[in-house]
């Protein structure tokens, strides 16, 4: 109880007086709405409120779109749908085999079952003892697996896919009446789910049972209305107006445009469009980078914005031109930040969230994002190659394609407002050395919910392989020690002082103090590129304590030099961490770490010279305390090596680390039919 009370106190400190007023109003509204709850299993009778007499579904895809889907993308979706018919689907890293008739409330991670009955407003979804891992419970009810099945029907005409979709939607609607259970506790879930329903109906158009599943079915109509009413009433505002607010507004807009079956539909759509445009602008730097300082959410929000843009175009109610320009800038930023293999940075939180899934689960969401963006606003000549898929073809077919003027003619490397800069070797200098430097704000708004304590951290790849890695996110709920580690300063390639993070954690999505950081200089042209920045996150410990870092990439020498300067007025301890990618093997010697990793059929090597003022230790897969881990995707973790240099200083301390990277592989590719490997000359 005391911990819960403390969290509420810390959370209130992150709110403005206006936000406190909104939240009090929400509590009052929740109390009034409690009487509207439909108990699980109860029959709902009477007419659907506000329902228009004449209802059709006009938000269909052009007949020509189906033939434009590449054969490989089509085959992959059909294969995924066939696995779904057999009951197999992966949810946040967990392969489930129960999708023939799923339990919508089961958490496969803990085995717990989240509440199905009871007033949603009284369910504490943050308590794993109540709901299990709520992310795993919620994820299936975003109905991405149903859009994949519906896409398979659209591509093949095979009614087995449509019938399975219909059976599972009716199952979900019956199990989740208004305000009963865990699936009515979070607006972002309703927004994404409503978007999925629109696309299910669109993709099932032509199936004889489509209209009786949606516009001619009172249960479906009630669910659509309930979702719209909830989203209009309980919006994420103030310090919570991040990607959640975007997803909620997109769901409202997409639902109102495609399901205009209610007296309020036009009003719902207009309000949602206005809120979406305001929220997107507030969440995006002028450079196009998302303000949450979490790259995965950059993709998620941009994807959602494109869905809304296309739906509004189709409905003849296009979004304003500044929003189209903003999304084009976000796409350009996404394309610019990718390494040579198409992998994005791993900055900040990421839960692999999707606005819409129409392609097979293994399809790269960043490639899909760029393909969809190219279909709607066009691609820059410098973008990586575009590979269209089901989603990009279908979403692009709805939109009024219009090129946006004034976009960059060459790939940007500097995003000054976000504090993000990329040092990289020139094109053709293979394998590419790619280095992201972080000197930007901690995160979005007063609580910086999805930011991490990563000021001045670097992320280094060689040919797309993590050498100095950002460990990722791993989890949100249920594992506080793991959540803390992956977002901590020690969990990043930077310096920790006095055993504490630069920013102060107040909860799993709450920071009570954020490090102030800035970029001092960035010269990203030529063969020798430099970046320097500083942060003041530890002034709470020592009023003059400052961390400065300079990074130099010498493309000719293929070296990366990191110079850290720590300034303080008293004695402090420090730990400098270098997190190696999970594919990197390391031998730690006296002041040097010999690195090697597989690169296709070859093996490459590097040497990391370490500051001699520190005492160095290697860690891998440790749990007490947590150290030496890498999360390849949300919900998964694997051991990886972490080098930690420990020491103390008074006054000024300068540390230099140098990463030297080999040009040629140490071993050449294996000859066909031979088990031998040869040493490169």
């Amino acid at each position: 109880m005391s911990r819960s009370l403390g969290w509420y106190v810390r959370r209130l400190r992150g709110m403005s007086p206006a936000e406190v007023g909104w939240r009090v109003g929400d509590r009052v509204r929740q109390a009034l709405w409690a009487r509207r709850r439909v108990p699980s299993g109860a029959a709902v009778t009477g007419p659907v409120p506000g329902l228009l007499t004449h209802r059709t579904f006009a938000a269909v895809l052009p007949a020509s779109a189906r033939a434009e889907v590449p054969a490989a993308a089509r085959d992959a979706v059909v294969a995924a749908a066939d696995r779904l018919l057999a009951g197999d689907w992966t949810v946040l890293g967990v392969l489930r085999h129960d999708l023939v008739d799923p339990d919508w409330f089961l958490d496969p991670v803990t085995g717990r079952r989240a509440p199905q009955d009871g007033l949603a407003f009284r369910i504490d979804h943050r308590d794993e003892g109540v709901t299990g891992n709520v992310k795993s419970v919620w994820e299936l009810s975003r109905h991405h697996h149903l859009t994949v099945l519906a896409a398979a029907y659209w591509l093949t005409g095979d009614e087995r896919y449509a019938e399975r979709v219909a059976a599972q939607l009716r199952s979900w609607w019956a199990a989740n009446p208004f305000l009963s259970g865990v699936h009515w506790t979070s607006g972002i879930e309703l927004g994404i789910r409503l978007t999925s329903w629109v696309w299910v109906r669109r993709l099932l158009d032509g199936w004889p049972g489509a209209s009786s599943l949606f516009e001619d079915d009172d249960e479906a109509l009630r669910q659509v209305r309930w979702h719209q009413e909830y989203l209009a009433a309980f919006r994420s505002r103030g310090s919570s107006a991040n990607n959640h607010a975007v997803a909620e507004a997109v769901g409202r807009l997409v639902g109102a445009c495609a399901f205009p079956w209610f007296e309020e539909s036009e009003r719902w759509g207009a309000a949602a469009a206005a809120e979406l445009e305001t929220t997107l602008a507030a969440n995006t730097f002028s450079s196009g980078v998302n303000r949450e300082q979490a790259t995965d959410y950059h993709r998620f929000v941009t994807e959602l914005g494109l869905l809304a843009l296309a739906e509004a175009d189709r409905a003849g109610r296009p979004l304003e031109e500044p929003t189209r320009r903003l999304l084009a800038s976000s796409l350009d930023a996404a394309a610019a930040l990718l390494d040579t293999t198409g992998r994005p940075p791993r900055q900040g939180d990421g839960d692999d969230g999707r606005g819409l899934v129409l392609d097979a689960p293994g399809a790269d969401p960043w490639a899909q994002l760029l393909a969809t963006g190219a279909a709607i606003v066009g691609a820059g000549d410098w973008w990586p190659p575009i590979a269209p898929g089901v989603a990009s073809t279908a979403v692009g077919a709805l939109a009024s394609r219009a090129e946006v003027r004034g976009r960059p003619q060459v790939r940007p490397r500097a995003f000054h407002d976000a504090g993000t800069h990329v040092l990289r070797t020139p094109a053709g200098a293979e394998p590419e050395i790619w280095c992201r430097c972080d000197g930007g704000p901690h995160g979005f708004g007063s609580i910086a919910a999805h930011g991490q304590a990563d000021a001045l951290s670097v992320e280094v790849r060689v040919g797309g392989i993590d050498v100095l890695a950002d460990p990722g996110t791993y989890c949100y709920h249920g594992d506080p020690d793991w959540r803390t580690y992956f977002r901590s300063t020690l969990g990043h390639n930077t310096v920790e002082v006095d055993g504490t993070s630069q920013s102060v954690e107040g909860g799993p999505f709450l920071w009570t103090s954020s490090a102030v950081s800035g970029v001092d200089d960035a010269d990203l042209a030529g063969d020798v590129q430099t970046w320097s920045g500083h942060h003041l996150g530890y002034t709470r410990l020592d009023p003059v304590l400052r961390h400065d870092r300079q990074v130099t990439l010498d493309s000719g020498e293929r070296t990366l030099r990191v110079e850290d300067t720590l300034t303080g007025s008293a004695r402090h301890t420090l730990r400098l961490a270098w997190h190696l990618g999970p594919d990197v093997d390391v031998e730690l010697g006296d002041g040097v770490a010999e690195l090697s990793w597989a690169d296709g059929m070859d093996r490459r090597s590097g040497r990391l010279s370490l500051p001699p003022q520190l005492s160095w230790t290697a860690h891998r897969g440790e749990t007490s305390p947590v150290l030496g881990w890498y999360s390849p995707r949300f919900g998964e973790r694997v051991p990886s090596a972490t080098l930690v240099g420990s020491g103390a200083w008074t006054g000024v301390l300068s540390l230099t680390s140098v990463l030297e990277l080999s040009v040629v592989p140490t071993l050449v590719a294996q000859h066909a039919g031979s088990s031998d490997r040869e040493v490169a000359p």
Side-chain angles (χ1 to χ4, degrees):
M1 176 63 70
S2 61
R3 185 170 119 177
S4 176
L5 179 60
W7 179 86
Y8 279 107
V9 170
R10 293 190 295 271
R11 187 66 183 86
L12 279 168
R13 288 173 178 161
M15 301 180 191
S16 67
E19 182 178 354
V20 173
W22 295 334
R23 291 183 183 270
V24 170
D26 283 347
R27 290 293 187 180
V28 172
R29 189 176 298 107
Q30 288 174 1
L32 295 174
W33 278 38
R35 68 192 69 172
R36 297 183 57 193
R37 181 180 77 88
V38 179
S40 181
V44 181
T45 59
V48 180
L51 190 62
L52 300 177
T53 303
H54 180 68
R55 297 182 303 280
T56 60
F57 185 79
V60 298
L61 289 167
S64 60
R66 185 184 297 107
E68 296 174 6
V69 175
R74 173 195 178 281
D75 292 346
V77 168
V78 172
D82 287 341
R83 292 192 294 272
L84 270 167
L85 290 180
D88 296 340
W89 183 254
T90 299
V91 180
L92 298 180
V94 177
L95 177 59
R96 295 184 60 165
H97 302 288
D98 60 341
L99 268 291
V100 171
D101 183 18
D103 182 342
W104 301 109
F105 301 90
L106 176 67
D107 166 28
V109 177
T110 63
R112 294 190 182 97
R113 198 169 185 275
Q116 178 175 353
D117 205 357
L119 179 65
F121 303 135
R122 294 177 183 166
I123 296 172
D124 184 1
H125 64 262
R126 296 179 181 89
D127 186 345
E128 187 173 288
V130 174
T131 63
N133 186 322
V134 75
K135 281 288 293 179
S136 295
V137 178
W138 279 338
E139 185 71 19
L140 189 64
S141 286
R142 291 183 172 188
H143 291 168
H144 292 322
H145 70 295
L146 298 186
T147 52
V148 170
L149 284 167
Y153 168 78
W154 177 61
L155 292 166
T156 67
D158 188 332
E159 295 192 2
R160 294 178 303 153
Y161 305 125
E163 290 164 356
R164 180 61 58 82
V165 170
Q168 293 206 4
L169 279 178
R170 290 188 171 112
S171 165
W172 196 94
W173 291 333
N176 291 275
F178 192 43
L179 300 183
S180 284
V182 73
H183 295 304
W184 294 95
T185 58
S186 176
I188 186 176
E189 305 305 317
L190 277 76
I192 294 173
R193 188 158 55 239
L194 188 54
T195 301
S196 292
W197 292 352
V198 165
W199 276 90
V200 164
R201 175 61 184 89
R202 174 172 289 133
L203 294 165
L204 294 186
D205 197 62
W207 177 53
S211 59
S212 62
L213 180 62
F214 279 96
E215 59 265 31
D216 296 333
D217 183 86
D218 280 358
E219 188 170 33
L221 292 165
R222 285 193 181 91
Q223 284 281 354
V224 170
R225 181 178 182 89
W226 288 337
H227 276 63
Q228 284 282 19
E229 288 183 319
Y230 184 107
L231 290 167
F234 301 106
R235 306 192 306 280
S236 294
R237 295 181 287 188
S239 58
S240 296
N242 55 8
N243 68 88
H244 285 235
V246 174
E248 293 160 12
V250 169
R252 293 166 62 199
L253 176 60
V254 170
C257 288
F259 296 154
W261 302 328
F262 305 93
E263 294 171 356
E264 303 93 336
S265 292
E266 186 171 346
R267 175 167 56 83
W268 286 338
E275 186 152 344
L276 173 63
E277 294 188 305
T278 299
T279 304
L280 279 173
N283 274 262
T284 310
F285 289 111
S286 60
S287 64
V289 174
N290 186 271
R291 287 182 180 269
E292 292 206 68
Q293 299 291 70
T295 315
D296 193 55
Y297 285 102
H298 178 106
R299 175 197 50 75
F300 178 57
V301 167
T302 307
E303 178 182 316
L304 287 165
L306 291 174
L307 293 174
L309 192 69
E311 199 72 53
D313 278 354
R314 184 216 55 80
R317 292 185 280 177
L319 299 178
E320 298 293 335
E321 185 60 27
T323 300
R324 188 176 292 269
R325 289 199 300 270
L326 178 152
L327 290 169
S329 294
S330 295
L331 288 162
D332 288 332
L337 289 169
L338 301 180
D339 67 24
T340 189
T341 65
R343 291 184 61 217
R346 290 166 52 85
Q347 180 184 17
D349 281 350
D351 65 359
D352 306 321
R354 301 296 305 279
L356 176 69
V357 178
L358 300 184
D359 286 274
D364 177 9
W366 286 83
Q368 293 176 58
L369 173 71
L370 294 184
T372 303
I376 296 175
V377 299
D381 292 339
W382 51 268
W383 276 26
I386 299 299
V390 180
S392 63
T393 302
V395 177
L398 293 181
S400 301
R401 181 185 171 98
E403 299 284 344
V404 175
R405 297 176 182 271
R407 295 168 66 182
Q409 299 302 302
V410 296
R411 169 179 278 183
R413 295 188 183 185
F415 301 89
H416 300 291
D417 45 12
T420 298
H421 294 75
V422 177
L423 286 61
R424 60 200 318 163
T425 48
E430 300 296 337
E432 177 195 57
I433 302 174
W434 175 97
C435 174
R436 175 186 63 83
C437 300
D438 178 9
H442 183 205
F444 178 63
S446 61
I447 64 173
H450 289 298
Q452 298 186 352
D454 56 1
L456 306 191
S457 65
V458 296
E459 186 179 2
V460 180
R461 297 180 192 152
V462 178
I465 296 172
D466 289 308
V467 177
L468 301 180
D470 185 309
T473 301
Y474 176 54
C475 67
Y476 285 161
H477 301 280
D479 294 295
D481 290 344
W482 292 96
R483 174 63 171 151
T484 292
Y485 169 72
F486 276 98
R487 68 203 301 238
S488 69
T489 296
L490 183 61
H492 293 86
N493 295 315
T494 187
V495 176
E496 175 203 72
V497 174
D498 289 348
T500 186
S501 287
Q502 311 151 340
S503 298
V504 179
E505 186 180 35
F509 302 101
L510 171 65
W511 297 91
T512 58
S513 173
S514 292
V516 175
S517 59
V519 176
D520 300 315
D521 187 49
D523 182 357
L524 309 183
D527 285 344
V528 178
Q529 302 165 32
T530 60
W531 174 93
S532 60
H534 72 276
H535 82 80
L536 305 174
Y538 289 116
T539 53
R540 69 183 190 276
L541 307 177
D542 179 336
V544 301
L545 207 160
R546 173 178 168 129
H547 177 196
D548 288 86
R549 169 168 280 186
Q550 179 168 304
V551 180
T552 303
L553 172 64
D554 188 323
S555 298
E557 297 294 327
R558 295 187 68 80
T559 60
L560 187 84
R561 176 182 293 267
V562 180
E563 297 170 279
D564 291 300
T565 302
L566 294 156
T567 305
S569 61
R571 185 181 186 277
H572 298 281
T573 62
L574 76 144
R575 288 191 289 182
L576 169 60
W578 293 121
H579 296 269
L580 307 180
D583 298 322
V584 177
D585 295 325
V586 59
E587 292 185 11
L588 178 61
D590 185 13
V592 65
E594 300 292 346
L595 315 179
S596 63
W597 60 92
D599 183 2
M601 297 294 291
D602 298 326
R603 193 159 188 85
R604 297 193 178 274
S605 64
R607 170 175 291 179
L608 180 59
S609 298
L610 302 165
Q613 302 98 314
L614 305 180
S615 175
W616 287 90
T617 53
H619 307 264
R620 180 181 176 86
E622 298 174 7
T623 58
S624 184
V626 177
L627 188 60
W629 293 90
Y630 177 96
S631 177
R633 60 189 59 81
F634 192 81
E636 295 183 23
R637 66 176 190 255
V638 297
S640 63
T642 297
L643 305 177
V644 177
S646 303
W649 94 99
T650 303
V652 179
L653 175 67
S654 296
L655 306 169
T656 299
S657 305
V658 180
L659 177 62
E660 302 170 79
L661 296 159
S662 173
V663 177
V664 297
T666 56
L667 298 174
V668 299
Q670 180 175 312
H671 294 293
S674 170
S675 59
D676 296 330
R677 297 175 68 87
E678 299 177 359
V679 178

